[in-house]
C-alpha cells in the first residue's frame, strides 16, 4: 500500500457568523427535507450545528497535516488531472409539484434554503463557476430528490419525467463538454418507463438513469420492473440507485434516535438492502449485462462482501442465485465516492471491488466541491489508478 498512515479525526473549527449559506452541508438539507416529508429529523441537525466527520478531507477547512508534513507525491499530477463527477444534483422549478410543498416546510433558515435551491435550479452560471474554481471538467447531472418518485399518479409521473429530461437535454446541449445526464424515469408505470428510457438514451443522449430507491414502497427486483432491466441491458446503460428522502416504511429500531435516519445510517441500510434484493432476486442472473451504481462507497456493501459470502450456504433455496454475492458486487455494481471523503474507505472499496469499478462524485451542491476534489487529489494512489477513479472509469462506463 503506498501510504498507510492513519488520518487524524479533526473537529471542524467554529464558523464565523458571516459564513455564506453555500457552505451548508447535504446532511442539513436532508434532515430538513426528511422532516418536511414526515420522516424523523436526521440527527437533530440544524443550520447552526456543525457536521461531524470521522476524517478530515484533505484540502478542506478541517484538514490537518498528518505526521506534521504534507504528502506531495501527487502534487504534479494533480494539476492537470481531468475530473468527472457523476452524482451532481439539479432541479427544475415546478416540475414536481409535491417538491415545492416539501421545500416550503423545510426547517432551515431562509437564506441557506434559498442558496441551495438557487444552486440546484442554476445550470450555468453558478455551477460552471464552481466547477472551474475547483478543477471539475464534467458533471453528470441527475434530478434532485424529492423527485418523480413522490408522485402518486402514474400519468403525472410520466409527464414530469419527460419535462425534466427535456430540460436536462437542453442544458447538456448548451454545454456538451461540461455536462452529461442521467435520465429520470416514471417507474410508477414500467411500460412508460421503458419508452422514456429508450427516448432518453437514443434521442437525448443520456448516459444512464438515476432513481431514488423505492417506487412508492415497491422495489426494483419485483417482476413488473423486469422490462426496465431488459431495456437497460439492451441499451448498455447503468442505473444509479440513490436514496429517497421519503422512506418506504418506518423502522422501530430508529424510534427515538433520529440520528439513525437518513445519510448517517438509514440511507445506507435501505439502499444497500435494495441492492441486495436485486442480487438475491436474480436480476443480474436474468440480465447479466445490467448494472447499478451505488453512492457513499457502495452503501458499505464492499466492506460486507466476506460476510455475505460466508453465510451464503444458509440462504434459502428460493433465494439462491448462480454466483456468490461478491461476484455480483464485482461484476454488476459500480461504487462512487459521493459523501464519503475518507481515504481509508476509498482504499477498502478499491481493494474489495477493484479500481476499475470506483468512480468519483461530489454531490453538488450539498457537499463542498473543494473538499471532495482535495480528497481525490490527495488519495494515496499511483497516477494511473488515480486517473481511473477521477475520470477514466466514468468515461468508459458512461461512454463520455
Amino acid at each position: 500500500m503506498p501510504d498507510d498512515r492513519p488520518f487524524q479525526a479533526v473537529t471542524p473549527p467554529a464558523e464565523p457568523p458571516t459564513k455564506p449559506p453555500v457552505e451548508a452541508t447535504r446532511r442539513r438539507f436532508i434532515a430538513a427535507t426528511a422532516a418536511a416529508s414526515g420522516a424523523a429529523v436526521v440527527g437533530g441537525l440544524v443550520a447552526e450545528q456543525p457536521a461531524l466527520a470521522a476524517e478530515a478531507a484533505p484540502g478542506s477547512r478541517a484538514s490537518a497535516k498528518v505526521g506534521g508534513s504534507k504528502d506531495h507525491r501527487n502534487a504534479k499530477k494533480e494539476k492537470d488531472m481531468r475530473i468527472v463527477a457523476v452524482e451532481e444534483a439539479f432541479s427544475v422549478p415546478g416540475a414536481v409539484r409535491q417538491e415545492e410543498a416539501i421545500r416550503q416546510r423545510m426547517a432551515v433558515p431562509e437564506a441557506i434554503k434559498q442558496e441551495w435551491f438557487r444552486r440546484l435550479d442554476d445550470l450555468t452560471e453558478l455551477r460552471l463557476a464552481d466547477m472551474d474554481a475547483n478543477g471539475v471538467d464534467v458533471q453528470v447531472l441527475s434530478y434532485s430528490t424529492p423527485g418523480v418518485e413522490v408522485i402518486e399518479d402514474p400519468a403525472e409521473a410520466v409527464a414530469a419525467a419527460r419535462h425534466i429530461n427535456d430540460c436536462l437535454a437542453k442544458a447538456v446541449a448548451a454545454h456538451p463538454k461540461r455536462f452529461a445526464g442521467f435520465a429520470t424515469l416514471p417507474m410508477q408505470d414500467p411500460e412508460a418507463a421503458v419508452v422514456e428510457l429508450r427516448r432518453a438514451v437514443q434521442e437525448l443522449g443520456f448516459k444512464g438513469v438515476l432513481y431514488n430507491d423505492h417506487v412508492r414502497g415497491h422495489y426494483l427486483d419485483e417482476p413488473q420492473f423486469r422490462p426496465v432491466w431488459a431495456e437497460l441491458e439492451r441499451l448498455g446503460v447503468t442505473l444509479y440507485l440513490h436514496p429517497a428522502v421519503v422512506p418506504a416504511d418506518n423502522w422501530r429500531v430508529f424510534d427515538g434516535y433520529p440520528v439513525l435516519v437518513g445519510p448517517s445510517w438509514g440511507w445506507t441500510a435501505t439502499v444497500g438492502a435494495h441492492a441486495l434484493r436485486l442480487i438475491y432476486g436474480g436480476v443480474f442472473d436474468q440480465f447479466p449485462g445490467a448494472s447499478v451504481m451505488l453512492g457513499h462507497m457502495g452503501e458499505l456493501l464492499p466492506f460486507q462482501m466476506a460476510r455475505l459470502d460466508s453465510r451464503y450456504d444458509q440462504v434459502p433455496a428460493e433465494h439462491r442465485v448462480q454466483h456468490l454475492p461478491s461476484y455480483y458486487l464485482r461484476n454488476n455494481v459500480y461504487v462512487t465516492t459521493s459523501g464519503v471523503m475518507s481515504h481509508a474507505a476509498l482504499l477498502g472499496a478499491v481493494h474489495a471491488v477493484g479500481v476499475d469499478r470506483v468512480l468519483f462524485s461530489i454531490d453538488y451542491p450539498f457537499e463542498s466541491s473543494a473538499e471532495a476534489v482535495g480528497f481525490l487529489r490527495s488519495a494515496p494512489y499511483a497516477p494511473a489508478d488515480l486517473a481511473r477513479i477521477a475520470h477514466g472509469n466514468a468515461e468508459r462506463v458512461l461512454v463520455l
Side-chain angles (χ1 to χ4, degrees), residues 298-358:
E299 307 297 356
L300 300 188
L301 290 183
F303 311 103
Q304 189 72 1
M305 280 173 33
R307 182 71 168 171
L308 293 170
D309 284 357
S310 71
R311 289 295 179 261
Y312 184 71
D313 60 355
Q314 299 174 8
V315 173
E318 62 270 23
H319 292 299
R320 290 294 183 101
V321 284
Q322 295 176 8
H323 307 282
L324 290 173
S326 61
Y327 173 89
Y328 303 98
L329 291 171
R330 292 190 176 111
N331 289 275
N332 299 97
V333 172
Y334 295 99
V335 171
T336 83
T337 65
S338 64
V340 182
M341 289 174 271
S342 161
H343 288 158
L346 178 62
L347 288 165
V350 168
H351 183 75
V353 303
V355 71
D356 289 332
R357 305 196 76 81
V358 178

Side-chain angles (χ1 to χ4, degrees), residues 43-399:
L45 289 172
V46 294
E48 293 78 16
Q49 179 180 351
L52 300 180
E55 298 186 22
S60 73
R61 300 183 307 276
S63 65
K65 293 182 180 179
V66 179
S69 63
K70 182 180 178 182
D71 185 350
H72 291 285
R73 290 172 303 165
N74 291 337
K76 186 175 185 302
K77 66 176 177 289
E78 289 175 10
K79 190 173 181 181
D80 300 319
M81 183 172 64
R82 178 173 168 81
I83 296 178
V84 177
V86 301
E87 187 196 321
E88 316 311 318
F90 80 100
S91 188
V92 177
V96 177
R97 60 182 176 83
Q98 296 86 348
E99 179 185 24
E100 183 60 29
I102 293 173
R103 286 184 175 190
Q104 290 175 356
R105 296 196 303 270
M106 287 177 60
V108 174
E110 192 65 22
I112 292 176
K113 184 166 63 173
Q114 291 306 318
E115 182 65 19
W116 279 328
F117 299 139
R118 186 168 73 102
R119 290 184 174 274
L120 280 172
D121 296 345
D122 170 80
L123 281 170
T124 53
E125 182 179 356
L126 299 172
R127 188 178 301 262
L128 289 173
D130 184 89
M131 292 168 67
D132 291 342
N134 294 289
V136 177
D137 295 276
V138 178
Q139 281 191 0
V140 183
L141 304 174
S142 52
Y143 197 80
S144 178
T145 183
V148 171
E149 76 280 357
V150 303
I151 300 174
E152 182 175 4
D153 178 45
E156 182 182 348
V158 171
R162 285 185 62 89
H163 176 55
I164 291 167
N165 290 334
D166 286 342
C167 290
L168 178 55
K170 291 179 181 178
V172 173
H175 301 277
K177 294 183 178 180
R178 308 305 302 276
F179 297 144
F182 280 141
T184 294
L185 293 186
M187 293 290 198
Q188 295 88 333
D189 183 341
E191 291 185 4
V194 169
V195 173
E196 183 61 12
L197 171 60
R198 191 176 299 133
R199 183 182 82 96
V201 173
Q202 295 181 333
E203 297 180 23
L204 304 183
F206 290 168
K207 305 303 181 180
V209 172
L210 184 141
Y211 198 81
N212 297 315
D213 201 11
H214 62 94
V215 187
R216 300 191 62 82
H218 294 277
Y219 294 94
L220 297 179
D221 60 298
E222 296 176 24
Q224 65 268 30
F225 301 114
R226 296 302 167 105
V228 178
W229 288 109
E231 191 66 11
L232 287 164
E233 182 184 53
R234 187 186 74 82
L235 294 170
V237 297
T238 193
L239 184 146
Y240 199 124
L241 192 60
H242 185 273
V245 297
V246 181
D249 47 30
N250 296 313
W251 294 3
R252 283 195 61 193
V253 70
F254 292 165
D255 288 352
Y257 292 88
V259 68
L260 299 177
V261 183
S264 68
W265 183 249
W267 281 9
T268 288
T270 55
V271 178
H274 191 165
L276 291 176
R277 288 179 65 112
L278 300 179
I279 290 174
Y280 290 121
V283 169
F284 301 123
D285 286 344
Q286 186 174 356
F287 308 106
S291 67
V292 296
M293 283 188 182
L294 298 174
H296 318 111
M297 294 296 177
E299 307 297 356
L300 300 188
L301 290 183
F303 311 103
Q304 189 72 1
M305 280 173 33
R307 182 71 168 171
L308 293 170
D309 284 357
S310 71
R311 289 295 179 261
Y312 184 71
D313 60 355
Q314 299 174 8
V315 173
E318 62 270 23
H319 292 299
R320 290 294 183 101
V321 284
Q322 295 176 8
H323 307 282
L324 290 173
S326 61
Y327 173 89
Y328 303 98
L329 291 171
R330 292 190 176 111
N331 289 275
N332 299 97
V333 172
Y334 295 99
V335 171
T336 83
T337 65
S338 64
V340 182
M341 289 174 271
S342 161
H343 288 158
L346 178 62
L347 288 165
V350 168
H351 183 75
V353 303
V355 71
D356 289 332
R357 305 196 76 81
V358 178
L359 293 76
F360 175 69
S361 63
I362 296 169
D363 209 354
Y364 174 94
F366 307 112
E367 298 286 353
S368 164
S369 298
E371 292 183 15
V373 171
F375 150 75
L376 172 69
R377 286 178 168 165
S378 59
Y381 282 101
D385 285 342
L386 193 63
R388 289 184 178 93
I389 297 168
H391 66 92
N393 293 339
E395 291 164 350
R396 171 177 52 85
V397 175
L398 304 180
V399 194

